């Protein structure tokens, strides 16, 4: 299947800027699509084959015989990546100019980094401790988050932030009937159709995933939280540790409901519970966090958050 790329213009709020979109075509044609909240206009088109992806398994750590310890990285052709980069830049500009992304999200955003995310969370906790409060935190792990994105729900999320029908049709085409095979060394699997997920290793995958989970923290109350892509931490600060844990459990229950609605899966075994306190007399035996399925989350004394131990 050939794909086409059209350079388009967005006249949202009276400002014109170029956008690149890919649409399915069987031959070269001329036409155009505009990326805007309200309308679509024409421009120019080129084609590129972009529905086939080769996946290389990247070891994340741990037992090399456990397939769960590998991250699938898609290798796309250079032209597809170049076109995706143009689209990606325009989407990021659109999100930024319209203040669409959650202020609690640091992933894949300009002037944000893992360091800034860790610093923000650390400052919140230290500030609470300085006020003689206590903190209970939950570092949440999702199972194969990028690979479980539901395409219809993603398209709904795009429409909700202002993408019109033609812009959504572009992304529907981009995601539809992708073919994937695993390649390692000289070995290669057969091709399979991909019905969900956004391709890891692609340019558009991260920003699409960020849009997909943009509102997962919106329903949380009496709780602080931060995201870096799918790395999520929720934490509650209170004058008693018991109250902080109680509020954290309530927030966790709400978050699990939201994750289920998005068809994302909690990895309870890799999700960790941690407390921060300057009190020397703490009875930890009564402090616990459980999933909605009554699985107890492991409490740890240190955790590697975004590559930094705390």
């Amino acid at each position: 299947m050939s794909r086409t790329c059209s350079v388009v213009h967005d006249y949202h709020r009276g400002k014109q800027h170029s956008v690149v979109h890919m649409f399915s075509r069987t031959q070269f044609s001329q036409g155009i699509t505009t990326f805007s909240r309200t309308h679509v206009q024409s421009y120019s088109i080129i084609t590129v084959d972009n529905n086939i992806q080769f996946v290389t398994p990247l070891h994340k750590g741990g037992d090399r015989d456990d397939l769960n310890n590998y991250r699938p990285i898609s290798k796309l052709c250079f032209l597809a990546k170049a076109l995706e980069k143009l689209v990606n830049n325009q989407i990021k500009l659109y999100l930024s100019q319209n203040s669409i992304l959650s202020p609690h999200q640091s992933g894949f955003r300009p002037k944000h980094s893992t360091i800034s995310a860790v610093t923000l969370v650390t400052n919140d906790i230290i500030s609470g401790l300085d006020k003689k409060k206590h903190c209970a935190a939950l570092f949440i792990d999702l199972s194969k988050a990028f690979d479980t994105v539901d395409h219809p729900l993603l398209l709904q999320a795009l429409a909700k932030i202002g993408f019109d029908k033609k812009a959504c049709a572009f992304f529907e085409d981009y995601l539809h009937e992708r073919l994937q095979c695993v390649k390692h060394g000289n070995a290669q699997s057969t091709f399979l159709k991909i019905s969900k997920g956004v391709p890891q290793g692609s340019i558009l995958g991260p920003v699409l995933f960020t849009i997909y989970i943009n509102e997962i923290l919106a329903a949380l109350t009496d709780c602080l939280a931060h995201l870096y892509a799918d790395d999520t931490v929720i934490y509650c600060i209170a004058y008693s540790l018991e109250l902080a844990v109680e509020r954290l459990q309530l927030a966790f229950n709400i978050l699990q409901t939201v994750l289920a609605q998005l068809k994302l899966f909690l990895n309870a075994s890799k999700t960790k519970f941690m407390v921060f306190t300057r009190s020397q007399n703490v009875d930890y035996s009564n402090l616990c966090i459980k999933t909605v399925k009554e699985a107890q989350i492991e409490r740890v004394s240190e955790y590697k958050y975004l590559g930094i131990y705390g």
Side-chain angles (χ1 to χ4, degrees), residues 45-105:
I45 299 176
I46 60 174
T47 64
V48 58
D49 186 13
N50 189 41
N51 68 328
I52 296 177
Q53 57 194 53
F54 296 89
V55 173
T56 298
L58 178 65
H59 186 241
K60 298 185 293 183
D63 185 1
R64 289 186 174 272
D65 293 328
D66 186 351
L67 296 182
N68 291 320
N69 291 328
Y70 289 84
R71 177 181 291 111
I73 301 298
S74 300
K75 291 188 174 181
L76 307 177
C77 73
F78 75 94
L79 180 55
K81 283 196 172 185
L83 297 178
E84 285 193 25
K85 186 172 183 180
L86 294 173
V87 179
N88 185 60
N89 289 341
Q90 192 61 45
I91 294 174
K92 285 185 175 181
L93 181 62
Y94 174 79
L95 296 175
S96 176
Q97 289 182 340
N98 295 284
S99 302
I100 290 172
L101 292 184
S102 166
H104 305 294
Q105 172 65 267

Side-chain angles (χ1 to χ4, degrees), residues 141 143 252 265-272 291 295-298:
D141 187 88
S143 296
F252 186 37
F265 301 96
L266 175 75
N267 188 337
S269 64
K270 291 186 178 181
T271 296
K272 304 301 179 184
T291 69
Q296 185 164 321
I297 301 299
E298 180 187 4

Side-chain angles (χ1 to χ4, degrees), residues 13-34:
R13 295 185 177 178
K15 294 181 179 180
Q16 182 181 15
H17 47 275
S18 64
V19 179
V20 173
H21 288 310
M22 288 179 292
F23 297 88
S24 269
R25 294 286 188 275
T26 55
Q27 58 185 8
F28 277 100
S29 62
Q30 292 184 346
I32 163 176
T33 303
T34 300

Side-chain angles (χ1 to χ4, degrees), residues 199-218:
Q200 295 194 55
S202 68
I203 304 298
L204 286 174
V207 72
L208 290 177
F209 181 80
T210 300
I211 293 170
Y212 187 71
I213 64 167
N214 191 45
E215 296 185 352
I216 68 169
L217 303 179

